[in-house]
Amino acid sequence: MSNGFKQRKNNKQLIQQLTQQDFLWEGVERLFSVTKSSARDVRSYLVSRMNYIAADNLKGLCTPGHSCKENGKLLLTTILKQ
């Protein structure tokens, strides 16, 4: 696990960050009924279908009623090439 800190046994900053994350996830679960596990599952689902999502977005880009931005096309094309 990497949270931007070098892993050491007595890393107070890492311990503080992990404690804050736990506190925030408890709030998210209480307020929105979203668990850390379900958020992880949704992220996994979206990442595994990223190419399909990008292709669908690219298809809809520059059609009537939608914006046509070159940087959007470039980004979506880059995702599709990965």
Side-chain angles (χ1 to χ4, degrees):
M1 173 174 56
S2 174
N3 292 335
F5 297 107
K6 292 181 181 177
Q7 290 186 0
R8 288 183 266 185
K9 278 187 180 179
N10 297 320
N11 192 326
K12 290 179 184 180
Q13 222 172 359
L14 177 60
I15 293 167
Q16 182 182 6
Q17 183 182 16
L18 293 174
T19 302
Q20 288 172 341
Q21 285 180 2
D22 288 342
F23 176 74
L24 291 172
W25 275 111
E26 288 171 12
V28 168
E29 186 171 359
R30 188 176 58 254
L31 292 170
F32 303 108
S33 299
V34 174
T35 64
K36 192 174 186 177
S37 175
S38 66
R40 190 178 301 117
D41 292 344
V42 169
R43 182 189 184 285
S44 208
Y45 176 84
L46 291 173
V47 167
S48 71
R49 287 157 180 80
M50 188 64 68
N51 282 349
Y52 300 111
I53 295 167
D56 188 52
N57 276 279
L58 190 57
K59 199 176 0 175
L61 206 61
C62 301
T63 57
H66 295 89
S67 64
C68 186
K69 296 183 179 175
E70 288 302 316
N71 62 345
K73 282 187 198 178
L74 180 62
L75 177 61
L76 292 169
T77 304
T78 302
I79 290 170
L80 289 172
K81 288 179 183 177
Q82 292 179 355

